[in-house]
Amino acid sequence: MQSIPLGVSSLRSSRLAYGCWRVAGSWDPVEVTAASRAAGKRAVIAAYEAGYTLFDNADIYCRGEAERILGEVLKEVSGMRDRVVIVTKGGIRPGGDPQPDSPGRYDFSAAYLLDACDQSLRRLGVETIDVYLLHRPDFLADPEEVARAFTQLRAAGKVRHFGVSNFRPTLVTALQVACPMPLVAHQVEISLAKLEAFTDGTLDQCLIERITPMAWSPLAAGLLGGGATRLLESQKTYRPEAFLPVVDAIAGARGVSRTVVALAWLLKHPAGILPIIGTTNPDRIREATKAAGLELTREEWYRLLIAARGEPVP
Ligand SMILES: NC(=O)c1ccc[n+]([C@@H]2O[C@H](COP(=O)([O-])OP(=O)(O)OC[C@H]3O[C@@H](n4cnc5c(N)ncnc54)[C@H](OP(=O)(O)O)[C@@H]3O)[C@@H](O)[C@H]2O)c1
């Protein structure tokens, strides 16, 4: 697969990234079985063998189980650690921590981030995280305090680069102003079913600041593929049936699958959107890579945008 630079860093990623959210086979660690873990490891290995070189993770994915699974693969596959970029996230604090009645919340306090990062390093079994992202904006985020935590993590050799996820552009700016290092990635939901990043300033800011936009749920969690088994609450209102015939028509004309068109649509944006592929099916992991070889025309791109919007552009 072709590669692209990550923000202004010297790191490069394959044109599509692989996401480890679903690799444990469940959100709940109690439901994880030896068979579901083994399937998750096979998925990660399939992605590596298909040429994916960026692996996205988070401490809350199945309460650390997804980081452990990736860590085991990194240990078992000779040379893999040195050839891939490891991205993980922190800052979401699940309910029940530290008291049983503590609410689920966000925590960007330096003490919490430093500890969360140490725990991710242990689960991943690596010395350094290549890119550490703040998962969702903390209502109480203090950019100066976050900058101190980032500086400490970088000085200790625990993290190379930093970024954010699901931030408003103004909060990205506030953090960037406080940080001595450039933020290299902003991970947000972008797909034909989720268009806000094109108009809310997120992609404009990525272009201005040379931040790599990473697209989560690029297939709307499966709704733009063969169907979704697990949707986030916010994704349950998506109605792609209205525009999928247009995706299918272009796919038919180009001799590719619907998912390849949906991913190629993201790849065309000049900000260099990096779609994070979430399937754990090895065939689908390989199929997605064909998107890197499909250049849509501007006319095709706009036909898809208009279908997805459900109305012409103004
Ligand atoms: N920063 C954040 O807040 C955030 C939030 C969510 C996700 N993420 C990241 O984004 C990654 C991707 O998210 P996602 O898993 O929702 O992405 P996605 O690629 O949009 O959806 C993957 C889901 O679609 C299903 N699917 C159905 N038909 C498919 C097809 N033809 N091809 C591919 N998949 C198909 C897959 O099922 P099968 O496995 O059965 O194929 C899987 O359940 C995650 O792994 C995670 O790293 C980040």
Side-chain angles (χ1 to χ4, degrees), residues 17-294:
Y18 185 70
C20 297
W21 184 27
R22 302 175 191 268
V23 296
S26 170
W27 300 163
D28 183 352
V30 175
E31 291 173 6
V32 176
T33 62
S36 68
R37 291 185 104 258
K41 286 168 78 170
R42 280 198 298 277
V44 172
I45 292 168
Y48 178 60
E49 289 177 350
Y52 292 74
T53 62
L54 185 145
F55 289 79
D56 180 67
N57 220 312
D59 55 359
I60 58 157
Y61 292 170
C62 198
R63 300 270 179 138
E65 207 47 35
E67 286 184 330
R68 278 189 210 98
I69 288 172
L70 176 60
E72 286 170 26
V73 174
L74 290 171
K75 201 172 289 170
E76 289 164 21
V77 179
S78 166
M80 179 173 170
R81 171 63 192 103
D82 296 333
R83 294 194 192 103
V84 298
V85 171
I86 306 292
V87 179
T88 197
K89 318 181 201 75
I92 299 182
R93 198 160 176 175
D97 170 26
Q99 304 301 331
D101 67 344
S102 298
R105 60 204 187 280
Y106 309 124
D107 194 341
F108 289 0
S109 64
Y112 181 78
L113 290 177
L114 295 175
D115 181 57
C117 196
D118 280 343
Q119 294 191 38
S120 285
L121 283 165
R122 266 196 296 277
R123 285 188 293 262
L124 289 161
V126 297
E127 284 180 8
T128 308
I129 290 162
D130 296 308
V131 185
Y132 194 68
L133 306 182
L134 299 174
H135 204 154
R136 281 190 179 273
D138 179 0
F139 286 69
L140 297 175
D142 174 355
E144 298 289 341
E145 183 172 2
V146 173
R148 281 196 297 278
F150 281 4
T151 303
Q152 214 172 312
L153 287 167
R154 189 173 65 167
K158 294 178 180 178
V159 176
R160 287 198 177 93
H161 298 281
F162 298 88
V164 296
S165 179
N166 304 305
F167 272 41
R168 307 173 293 281
T170 43
L171 189 58
V172 179
T173 301
L175 183 60
Q176 185 57 90
V177 165
C179 282
M181 68 286 284
L183 300 170
V184 301
H186 189 182
Q187 192 173 126
V188 290
E189 184 180 7
I190 321 175
S191 74
L192 279 162
K194 178 74 177 172
L195 302 170
E196 281 82 347
F198 292 95
T199 51
D200 69 4
T202 300
L203 289 174
D204 302 345
Q205 181 176 48
C206 286
L207 283 164
I208 295 165
E209 308 276 347
R210 291 179 61 204
I211 294 171
T212 294
M214 300 175 71
W216 62 262
S217 288
L219 298 175
L223 294 173
L224 307 183
T229 44
R230 276 215 180 96
L231 290 170
L232 293 172
E233 231 12 74
S234 56
Q235 296 171 325
K236 290 183 181 163
T237 54
Y238 295 175
R239 297 285 171 263
E241 307 77 37
F243 63 81
L244 280 176
V246 178
V247 185
D248 288 341
I250 292 175
R254 291 300 206 106
V256 295
S257 66
R258 171 195 282 182
T259 52
V260 167
V261 170
L263 294 170
W265 187 78
L266 295 173
L267 296 178
K268 192 166 175 71
H269 193 276
I273 297 174
L274 181 57
I276 316 169
I277 304 306
T279 174
T280 52
N281 175 320
D283 287 337
R284 288 174 168 177
I285 289 169
R286 289 185 282 270
E287 168 72 15
T289 65
K290 293 182 189 160
L294 178 66

